[in-house]
């Protein structure tokens, strides 16, 4: 049995309540009432059952970065997802975390704990400097311009599924991940 209370305790009390408006504090304070049902629902999903539609309803809001925002760059969008979805996806991410170092290359630093995507800037700088200083030799070299924006926003779901299967993930795992990423529905909240 998955001990979901552990996951609940690791979510901030008032962290970003989703479309249902319920914060994690409600689940923590009333676990003796809701715990059995939450555990049953999450285990049903993890065992291949359907993900209820309401789980993956996400509210997008913008938070000002400055006291008086007057440009779009002065706002930070955040996604508020339901607590029960956070629990299920946290179980999956913790399972994946165990094998992630075995399937990700060292230079894919955004996936490696303790490294940042900005570390790649140093690598790009060193590579460019090498190419500029290279004056002789019969073989050429090439530079790639990579977009460091959120690559996960541009992933084709079919490609991701095929890649996971190629890496050796079982169909059941791939189906769970696919449910998480393909069933999301967004609601935009403006001015409350």
């Amino acid at each position: 049995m998955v001990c979901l209370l552990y996951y609940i305790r690791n979510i901030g009390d008032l962290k970003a309540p989703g479309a249902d408006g319920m914060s994690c504090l409600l689940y923590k304070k009333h676990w003796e009432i809701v715990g059995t049902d939450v555990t049953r629902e999450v285990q049903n999903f993890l065992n291949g059952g359907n993900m209820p539609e309401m789980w993956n309803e996400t509210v997008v809001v913008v938070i000002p970065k400055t006291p008086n925002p007057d440009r779009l760059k002065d706002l930070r969008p955040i996604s508020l997802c339901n607590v029960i979805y956070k629990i299920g996806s946290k179980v999956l991410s913790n399972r994946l975390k165990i094998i992630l170092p075995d399937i990700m290359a060292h230079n894919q630093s955004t996936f490696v704990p303790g490294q940042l995507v900005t570390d790649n800037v140093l690598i790009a700088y060193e590579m460019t400097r090498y190419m500029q200083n290279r004056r002789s030799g019969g073989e050429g070299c090439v530079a790639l311009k990579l977009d460091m924006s959120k690559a996960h926003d541009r992933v084709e779901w079919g490609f991701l599924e095929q890649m996971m299967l190629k890496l050796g993930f079982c169909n059941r795992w791939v189906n769970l991940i696919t449910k998480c990423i393909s069933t999301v529905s967004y609601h935009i909240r403006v001015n409350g």
Side-chain angles (χ1 to χ4, degrees):
M1 179 169 137
V2 178
C3 182
L4 298 184
L5 188 55
Y6 166 79
Y7 296 101
I8 292 282
R9 288 184 179 143
N10 288 313
I11 300 174
D13 287 349
L14 301 175
K15 281 288 193 182
D20 62 8
M22 291 187 265
S23 71
C24 194
L25 186 60
L26 178 124
Y27 289 86
K28 288 178 183 180
K29 284 198 175 262
H30 302 289
W31 187 252
E32 68 280 348
I33 297 169
V34 300
T36 304
D37 291 335
V38 170
T39 301
R40 186 178 344 112
E41 283 293 313
V42 172
Q43 284 182 333
N44 178 53
F45 164 67
L46 294 174
N47 288 322
N50 288 327
M51 177 190 291
E53 194 174 306
M54 61 166 223
W55 274 28
N56 219 348
E57 289 181 359
T58 301
V59 177
V60 178
V61 298
V62 290
I63 296 187
K65 295 181 192 177
T66 61
N68 297 309
D70 60 350
R71 295 182 179 176
L72 198 54
K73 71 176 187 167
D74 297 334
L75 300 170
R76 180 172 54 99
I78 63 168
S79 299
L80 311 176
C81 56
N82 291 319
V83 172
I84 198 161
Y85 175 79
K86 288 179 190 179
I87 297 167
S89 62
K90 191 66 171 173
V91 171
L92 292 174
S93 68
N94 281 350
R95 289 179 182 176
L96 183 61
K97 194 185 313 184
I98 296 167
I99 62 159
L100 203 56
D102 297 331
I103 61 173
M104 302 310 279
H106 180 69
N107 60 352
Q108 291 178 297
S109 60
T110 57
F111 299 104
V112 179
Q115 292 187 357
L116 303 170
V117 71
T118 53
D119 296 343
N120 293 331
V121 173
L122 296 173
I123 295 169
Y125 172 77
E126 289 298 320
M127 187 174 81
T128 305
R129 190 168 80 54
Y130 166 79
M131 289 173 30
Q132 287 175 338
N133 293 333
R134 186 172 171 185
R135 301 286 182 222
S136 62
E139 293 185 26
C141 29
V142 65
L144 298 173
K145 179 182 181 242
L146 301 175
D147 184 359
M148 297 288 201
S149 66
K150 295 179 183 174
H152 63 273
D153 290 343
R154 294 166 178 77
V155 172
E156 301 253 347
W157 301 142
F159 172 78
L160 180 61
E161 289 176 31
Q162 292 303 311
M163 184 56 71
M164 285 190 291
L165 291 170
K166 185 76 172 167
L167 287 169
F169 289 98
C170 69
N171 284 330
R172 187 170 154 201
W173 175 266
V174 173
N175 288 336
L176 285 171
I177 298 300
T178 302
K179 286 177 188 176
C180 286
I181 62 176
S182 64
T183 62
V184 65
S185 62
Y186 292 102
H187 307 274
I188 310 298
R189 185 172 294 159
V190 180
N191 294 333

